[in-house]
Amino acid sequence: MPAFDSPPSEAASYSRPSASQAAADAIPVLIDDTYHIFHLSTPPNTVHHPPRLRSSWSRLRSKDLVSWMRDPLPVLSPSSSESAPDADGAWTGSAVLGPDGTLHIFYTGYNLSQGGKQAILHARSSDQHGTSFNADSEPIRIISPPLNLAAFEDIDFRDAYVFFNEEAGQYWMLVATRLSSGPHWTRGCIALLTSADLEEWSVEPAPLYAPNDMMCPECPELFTLPNGKWYLVYSRFSAPNPGTVYRIADSPRGPFRTPRDGSGGRFDARRWYAAKSCQKAGDSSKRIFFGWIADFNEKDSRWLWGGSLAAPRQVSARVDGSLEISPVEEVLHNKFSLLEGNENNRVAEELNLRSIGQTLATYLPILQKSVQSYVLEFSVSHHDALSFGVLLRTDDDLRGHRIRFEPAADGSYAVSLLTDLPPLDDFWADQYELYLPKNVDGPELARHSSVRLEETIRLVVENDTMELFVGGKSISYRIPPRLNSSETKELGFFVEDGTFQPKQIRLYYKKHGRLGN
């Protein structure tokens, strides 16, 4: 392997390539117990399309998911030729070991001069670790009849995911695309291409997956686990259930069914996006997922493509075949003080919040000014409330964000992330002269239903990002800054009309910062 420059900071070492660049669309592959995490990087100081999406491929490497090294130069960059298929961006794809034992990359080329047409390109390395790559100047060679390819659009034809299907004895390529006919807004599908050698590809005439409920399924992948089930994972930027989702089948050809998990097969929510995975080193029963949390542009109040890579997450199968997601323990242990046994981490063994007929809030003694990164852990001892939960960066008027737990009749819970001041109908807005943006997220930013609270609840906050892990689900979000930040309280609990007893409440602050209260 080549030598690496030492990263200037922790933020630059993993979550972003630099302070002026965003990360997006992770492409992980495990080679000899080394995690190679390719990801897209935006050009410096870009905000919106098209400049921001003229992306390059960057790479991180690690053996333990804790210590990362970043390649000093991009692995792939857009072509300098205006007529090249990748003139305006080297977009998402995949990395795979070929039959020759070397690492191959298949990626999407984007060209604005051709109406935004996308093409799948092939880059080759001389060794299995991808020391350097040489990209072909032309798209992959497709040898199937033209009629097969005509079943799909040629504008959205991207995000190739390539793997060797041992059952079929051939390489499979999944392509995010759209049917060439049908309802315009819902003909997103996944095409299947096959190859014996990664050089010539045949397009199957029928899609592998076409649910007739989305614009385009981005960043797909397909894998099997030791339980014999096959899992199709992709990301959807439109409702219902936007974010990274999964489907289950008994065969790699489907049919792929939506798990009945109360979230439409969604791992997280809209803001943890384009997550893809590789096998966990030494454990074929688990997958390690990498996704990104979107940036928010304060100047025009718009969410952006790309952001910060979230910490790696572990996914495994339950007995019923559904998947559950959790933080990677060794990552949290390294970053925070979870293993130090510091008595100051204990906030309380149990709190008793009681409020009949109204809402009550209480705040935790966290360091408001000096601590911006921490883990909150707690479990639920007892409650008889209409709802209860966590307050995050709220003021005395309870303006801010809250994580709400609403009990259901079957003993499960709906878990949602809420923001303050929902947009008003125009009549009321006129009355109060309160005109708020009507964001697609609305006051309820994310929701999971049918969640069990049998395990410890974890809230991981790092500066302006939050990641909640509860009952095998997660909710991630980037918290926009508030004008009255000096008046906000960092963390607390609330109860609505009843009692709520959180127990074993712990706060773990980031290592090398200030510990304890």
Side-chain angles (χ1 to χ4, degrees):
M1 293 186 189
F4 302 105
D5 292 340
S6 297
S9 67
E10 181 178 354
S13 69
Y14 175 77
S15 63
R16 306 176 78 96
S18 72
S20 65
Q21 293 176 281
D25 297 10
I27 300 111
V29 60
L30 181 67
I31 301 173
D32 286 347
D33 292 335
T34 296
Y35 296 95
H36 293 242
I37 311 302
F38 300 94
H39 70 80
L40 304 191
S41 293
T42 65
N45 301 308
T46 52
V47 181
H48 297 305
H49 176 273
R52 189 171 173 97
L53 271 73
R54 197 174 189 273
S55 57
S56 301
W57 277 45
S58 299
R59 174 167 49 185
L60 296 155
R61 307 187 211 199
S62 175
K63 285 187 173 293
D64 58 7
L65 300 174
V66 172
S67 300
W68 293 91
M69 303 196 76
R70 181 178 289 279
D71 285 17
L73 297 174
V75 174
L76 295 171
S77 297
S79 174
S80 58
S81 171
E82 293 183 1
S83 62
D86 57 349
D88 295 294
W91 284 7
T92 301
S94 58
V96 63
L97 288 176
D100 56 357
T102 66
L103 194 60
H104 294 246
I105 283 176
F106 292 86
Y107 69 103
T108 304
Y110 179 59
N111 190 305
L112 281 168
S113 69
Q114 299 181 28
K117 185 175 180 179
Q118 298 150 11
I120 297 170
L121 304 174
H122 185 184
R124 312 155 197 270
S125 177
S126 60
D127 57 59
Q128 67 172 344
H129 288 285
T131 301
S132 63
F133 288 92
N134 292 311
D136 294 345
S137 59
E138 297 295 326
I140 60 171
R141 185 182 179 197
I142 296 177
I143 61 173
S144 52
L147 188 61
N148 290 15
L149 196 58
F152 308 101
E153 283 190 359
D154 62 354
I155 295 297
D156 268 315
F157 199 77
R158 54 189 169 90
D159 301 359
Y161 176 73
V162 180
F163 72 104
F164 186 73
N165 186 334
E166 295 184 1
E167 286 190 9
Q170 58 187 182
Y171 289 94
W172 278 23
M173 177 188 291
L174 275 58
V175 175
T177 184
R178 287 165 47 80
L179 297 171
S180 58
S181 62
H184 176 77
W185 298 107
T186 60
R187 61 177 184 239
C189 66
I190 296 174
L192 175 61
L193 286 66
T194 60
S195 174
D197 57 7
L198 300 180
E199 301 298 331
E200 295 182 336
W201 292 90
S202 297
V203 180
E204 298 209 346
L208 177 71
Y209 180 65
N212 191 32
D213 71 348
M214 63 182 159
M215 186 71 176
C216 186
E218 299 194 298
C219 303
E221 68 172 340
L222 180 64
F223 58 83
T224 186
L225 291 176
N227 62 5
K229 300 291 185 182
W230 284 83
Y231 296 90
L232 177 66
V233 176
Y234 61 93
S235 290
R236 42 195 303 147
F237 53 80
S238 57
N241 297 316
T244 299
V245 303
Y246 72 96
R247 304 291 183 253
I248 310 175
D250 294 323
S251 160
R253 291 186 173 274
F256 294 96
R257 304 294 304 278
T258 303
R260 295 341 190 228
D261 62 355
S263 300
R266 198 167 23 85
F267 289 113
D268 196 294
R270 181 188 297 274
R271 300 300 167 213
W272 186 71
Y273 198 72
K276 292 174 75 173
S277 71
C278 63
Q279 179 185 319
K280 184 175 184 179
D283 189 347
S284 63
S285 69
K286 297 179 176 61
R287 307 280 295 187
I288 303 298
F289 271 78
F290 303 84
W292 52 269
I293 301 175
D295 284 345
F296 182 78
N297 187 39
E298 297 175 53
K299 292 184 178 180
D300 57 12
S301 297
R302 290 173 62 182
W303 290 96
L304 306 183
W305 179 83
S308 303
L309 289 181
R313 301 181 184 181
Q314 180 173 284
V315 167
S316 56
R318 296 186 174 104
V319 175
D320 64 0
S322 64
L323 297 179
E324 60 181 359
I325 192 166
S326 62
V328 176
E329 292 296 324
E330 49 264 44
V331 173
L332 284 185
H333 292 164
N334 179 267
K335 187 176 293 187
F336 298 91
S337 305
L338 270 64
L339 290 181
E340 293 186 2
N342 192 323
E343 287 298 310
N344 289 327
N345 290 332
R346 181 182 296 119
V347 175
E349 284 305 312
E350 187 169 89
L351 293 178
N352 189 356
L353 282 68
R354 177 180 173 84
S355 180
I356 305 304
Q358 57 184 328
T359 298
L360 172 71
T362 186
Y363 293 94
L364 301 182
I366 189 172
L367 294 172
Q368 306 293 326
K369 305 295 183 183
S370 59
V371 173
Q372 292 294 316
S373 298
Y374 55 86
V375 175
L376 168 68
E377 287 186 352
F378 70 96
S379 55
V380 178
S381 173
H382 169 77
H383 80 87
D384 62 6
L386 178 66
S387 74
F388 58 88
V390 177
L391 298 170
L392 181 60
R393 295 182 185 167
T394 56
D395 60 21
D396 289 337
D397 296 322
L398 298 186
R399 291 187 58 188
H401 292 80
R402 65 177 68 189
I403 298 163
R404 183 173 64 188
F405 300 86
E406 299 173 89
D410 65 354
S412 68
Y413 296 79
V415 181
S416 56
L417 174 64
L418 302 175
T419 188
D420 61 337
L421 291 182
L424 305 179
D425 288 340
D426 290 337
F427 172 77
W428 295 106
D430 287 339
Q431 297 299 302
Y432 291 101
E433 296 184 347
L434 186 61
Y435 299 95
L436 300 172
K438 297 182 180 180
N439 296 323
V440 66
D441 284 322
E444 183 175 274
L445 305 176
R447 169 183 283 259
H448 292 298
S449 300
S450 302
V451 177
R452 301 286 172 176
L453 304 186
E454 297 165 353
E455 299 178 354
T456 299
I457 299 163
R458 277 179 170 164
L459 173 65
V460 183
V461 176
E462 292 195 72
N463 299 316
D464 62 345
T465 62
M466 60 144 282
E467 300 173 77
L468 174 73
F469 297 92
V470 53
K473 296 290 184 181
S474 59
I475 294 178
S476 303
Y477 197 68
R478 188 180 297 278
I479 304 169
R482 305 184 65 85
L483 295 177
N484 64 337
S485 59
S486 62
E487 302 174 9
T488 59
K489 299 177 177 64
E490 181 67 24
L491 196 60
F493 290 112
F494 74 90
V495 60
E496 181 184 8
D497 191 15
T499 60
F500 166 44
Q501 294 176 337
K503 65 178 182 178
Q504 296 175 338
I505 306 163
R506 303 288 187 271
L507 272 172
Y508 302 96
Y509 300 131
K510 202 167 189 177
K511 283 187 176 181
H512 312 302
R514 190 186 303 184
L515 299 178
N517 296 311

